[in-house]
Amino acid sequence: MRPATIQVRAPLSARLASRPNSMRYQQKESQRESLRSGAFSPRQATQRKPLVAYAETANAFLGAIDDLIHARPAGKLKTAVITGASSGLGLNTAKALIDSGKWHVVMAVRNPEKAKLAATQMGFPKDRYSIMPLELESFESVRSFSKKLKATRNVDTLICNAALYLPAHQNPRYTNDGYEVSQQVNHLSHFLLVNELLPHVKRSKDPRIIIVGSITGNTNTVGGGAVWPWADLGKLNGLAEATDKGPAMMNGGTWNGAKAYKDSKLANMMTILEADRRFHDKTGVTFSTMYPGCIAETGLFRDKKPWFRKLFPLFMRYVTGGYVSESEAGERLAEVAMSDRCKKSGVYWGWNGAAKTVAYLKPGLDANSRGLTGAGGAGGSIEELPLSVEARDPEKARRLWELSAKAVGLPYDSNYVSPLHETAAEIAAKNGPKSLPGIPLPSFVPDSRGQLDKRAKEGTSSQFQGGRL
Ligand code: NDP
């Protein structure tokens, strides 16, 4: 059955305008001109006001009808699922999507009460969002969340955004599933969620899956390559040897909370590239990752000392220029979710904003052609950015995928999951001493920290040679 259409008669002014030579049109035009030019006396103008008011009301009425005809009914809104939508980037992305008028957002959160309060404070209309509990510390929660979601609504876009950063933790904390908590929340549970929802999301006309990445997991940047510790998954032997509360770090090295976060962000970006290789052609799903800029005030830094949380935003805003507000970062992630440009799959998106020193290094062997290109500071426009050699390594990504599948209880290829041999230098590197860049190490300690320029030349931090980088 064809949908009913509403026939609306055009307003008098429009009908007359289609006949500009008619006498009636000429008369009206001269009246309008007299009104505009003030040629009528105030009394005459008052007498003619009802006519003008009539035209305005009619136009407003027609505009409202037009809106009604063209508005997408609530049932036809696109649906985005955002993990960790109760604060920071996730919440502000939900806002940007909802404000566009085209989206319903499922806020997938560990604390529904907090999400409800945040949604109310943000002024989200009630029919534009729903809240569903999701505890990423538990694979069981991911599975039951996915089951409920699939039973209740279609999903166009999945945004894996939630994360934990535990730089001050002196010892690792483990989940009930037996994995280090930031490894599970940031990487493994999102990996499981992507696998659970992929068959569902692919039914959309414009299906997209996004995992938020970071400059910190990308060692070809100043932010990721010069600020110690560096992301480096090594041979992934930690994940391969994982037992209940087994090695905390994915490379099997000594515990370092900041590195665990950076490694998990590297794993997030590698997961997107590997998913693109495995599934984009078959399913049409767009797989993307992105760096939103340094959103220095979010809850991500809750593990840091109060003085750091006060000074860090100022440092990022006024010294490095890498600072971006929560709302701007939310608009950026929403852009990746909805813009036509971001339909391209397998891309790491960034914004060449106001960053001054925390910037990407243009790769290239020629010193003159290398340089800083900015890294997400406020403003600027979206661009495709290069990932580090390690992030782009397809063999390592395949091993990461199979090991992650094994960890979360999905089918896996057993050729990729055994621990691999490591040289003495590789073992020394992953258990390297904790010291700061710029401070020389005693000569008897192998220097696993490297030089930024050398890293830029090689494009990676993970090329360990003979005990020194
Ligand atoms: P927030 O801490 O504000 O947001 C993180 C979200 O993750 C929160 O909503 C939090 O829930 C949720 N979360 C944490 N643990 C769990 C869990 N176990 N189960 C479910 N949800 C959980 O930080 P940001 O907004 O800054 O971080 C969002 C993303 O942006 C992360 O992926 C981060 O890596 C990335 N990013 C952030 C940058 C920054 O400068 N801030 C820079 C680059 C990337 P709750 O509200 O209950 O705490």
Side-chain angles (χ1 to χ4, degrees):
M1 206 171 91
R2 285 183 59 202
T5 50
I6 302 171
Q7 297 288 337
V8 183
R9 199 168 180 226
L12 180 64
S13 56
R15 279 182 277 131
L16 288 177
S18 66
R19 288 178 277 126
N21 295 327
S22 70
M23 189 177 298
R24 186 87 193 277
Y25 179 81
Q26 303 285 353
Q27 272 172 358
K28 282 272 160 206
E29 198 45 35
S30 103
Q31 281 171 3
R32 266 193 295 268
E33 184 48 42
S34 306
L35 253 180
R36 278 196 293 264
S37 64
F40 285 119
S41 68
R43 187 159 167 263
Q44 283 169 317
T46 320
Q47 280 171 348
R48 277 160 209 282
K49 254 188 189 161
L51 260 185
V52 176
Y54 164 76
E56 279 170 3
T57 314
N59 277 340
F61 176 64
L62 287 168
I65 296 230
D66 191 56
D67 280 352
L68 266 179
I69 294 168
H70 290 104
R72 260 181 113 150
K76 291 279 167 60
L77 293 173
K78 291 177 91 176
T79 296
V81 175
I82 307 179
T83 68
S86 46
S87 63
L89 178 61
L91 179 63
N92 283 276
T93 306
K95 178 165 173 33
L97 290 173
I98 290 169
D99 284 353
S100 77
K102 294 177 181 158
W103 291 82
H104 179 98
V105 173
V106 176
M107 303 170 78
V109 296
R110 64 175 165 178
N111 184 342
E113 282 309 310
K114 182 178 175 185
K116 197 170 167 191
L117 186 64
T120 310
Q121 283 168 350
M122 282 291 205
F124 294 170
K126 286 212 164 68
D127 60 339
R128 297 299 160 109
Y129 73 96
S130 39
I131 297 173
M132 288 182 70
L134 170 64
E135 174 51 79
L136 292 164
E137 285 192 26
S138 154
F139 296 143
E140 187 42 47
S141 173
V142 175
R143 287 199 164 87
S144 73
F145 167 84
S146 305
K147 197 170 162 193
K148 271 187 217 139
L149 184 71
K150 286 190 263 194
T152 47
R153 57 166 65 243
N154 293 329
V155 175
D156 298 277
T157 297
L158 167 64
I159 302 178
C160 299
N161 157 78
L164 272 184
Y165 173 50
L166 304 170
H169 277 47
Q170 294 306 306
N171 296 300
R173 177 164 78 76
Y174 292 89
T175 65
N176 287 339
D177 292 308
Y179 292 93
E180 189 280 313
V181 64
S182 54
Q183 187 185 136
Q184 179 160 343
V185 168
N186 304 1
H187 168 59
L188 290 173
S189 284
H190 280 137
F191 174 85
L192 177 58
L193 191 62
V194 167
N195 277 277
E196 288 284 334
L197 294 184
L198 178 60
H200 193 59
V201 174
K202 78 174 186 194
R203 295 196 199 123
S204 163
K205 281 194 182 125
D206 180 10
R208 301 191 194 192
I209 293 182
I210 303 162
I211 307 183
V212 177
S214 176
I215 193 175
T216 57
N218 199 7
T219 47
N220 64 349
T221 66
V222 176
V227 180
W228 188 87
W230 309 297
D232 180 358
L233 298 179
K235 291 191 169 163
L236 284 162
N237 279 349
L239 202 47
E241 286 159 1
T243 54
D244 187 18
K245 303 184 177 42
M249 305 298 288
M250 279 194 258
N251 68 357
T254 25
W255 164 250
N256 182 313
K259 184 174 185 301
Y261 169 81
K262 293 179 179 188
D263 286 351
S264 72
K265 289 283 113 186
L266 173 58
N268 285 156
M269 298 183 286
M270 289 169 77
T271 300
I272 280 298
L273 296 196
E274 181 63 7
D276 172 63
R277 283 186 285 266
R278 288 178 183 232
F279 304 117
H280 174 66
D281 287 346
K282 274 189 238 161
T283 63
V285 173
T286 300
F287 296 94
S288 321
T289 181
M290 54 87 76
Y291 172 60
C294 182
I295 332 162
E297 282 136 355
T298 69
L300 194 69
F301 302 98
R302 59 170 74 82
D303 200 33
K304 288 282 197 183
K305 296 237 167 13
W307 67 261
F308 177 92
R309 298 192 67 180
K310 275 215 169 76
L311 292 182
F312 185 55
L314 298 173
F315 176 74
M316 293 310 291
R317 192 193 282 255
Y318 298 110
V319 181
T320 72
Y323 173 90
V324 66
S325 69
E326 290 187 340
S327 60
E328 187 173 353
E331 281 161 18
R332 289 175 168 187
L333 182 46
E335 185 176 356
V336 177
M338 55 183 175
S339 79
D340 280 348
R341 171 155 189 198
C342 295
K343 271 187 183 172
K344 185 171 174 191
S345 187
V347 175
Y348 171 56
W349 298 102
W351 285 257
N352 195 2
K356 292 168 197 151
T357 53
V358 180
Y360 286 85
L361 286 162
K362 280 189 215 148
L365 292 178
D366 173 11
N368 296 326
S369 71
R370 295 200 299 272
L372 305 179
T373 74
S381 54
I382 192 166
E383 59 183 0
E384 288 181 40
L385 288 171
L387 282 166
S388 67
V389 170
E390 184 173 11
R392 284 184 279 119
D393 180 342
E395 270 304 294
K396 199 180 268 199
R398 175 147 202 189
R399 181 164 157 79
L400 173 67
W401 187 281
E402 300 302 344
L403 283 166
S404 304
K406 185 176 177 207
V408 303
L410 290 173
Y412 59 90
D413 182 340
S414 55
N415 291 319
Y416 284 83
V417 296
S418 310
L420 299 177
H421 172 74
E422 287 172 326
T423 63
E426 284 168 336
I427 293 168
K430 70 182 192 181
N431 295 317
K434 296 182 182 181
S435 64
L436 294 169
I439 301 173
L441 291 168
S443 57
F444 57 87
V445 178
D447 185 352
S448 58
R449 300 170 305 171
Q451 299 297 318
L452 181 64
D453 197 48
K454 192 157 188 295
R455 282 160 189 277
K457 203 160 134 189
E458 291 170 347
T460 178
S461 67
S462 58
Q463 307 293 312
F464 195 84
Q465 295 154 358
R468 300 192 83 82
L469 275 164

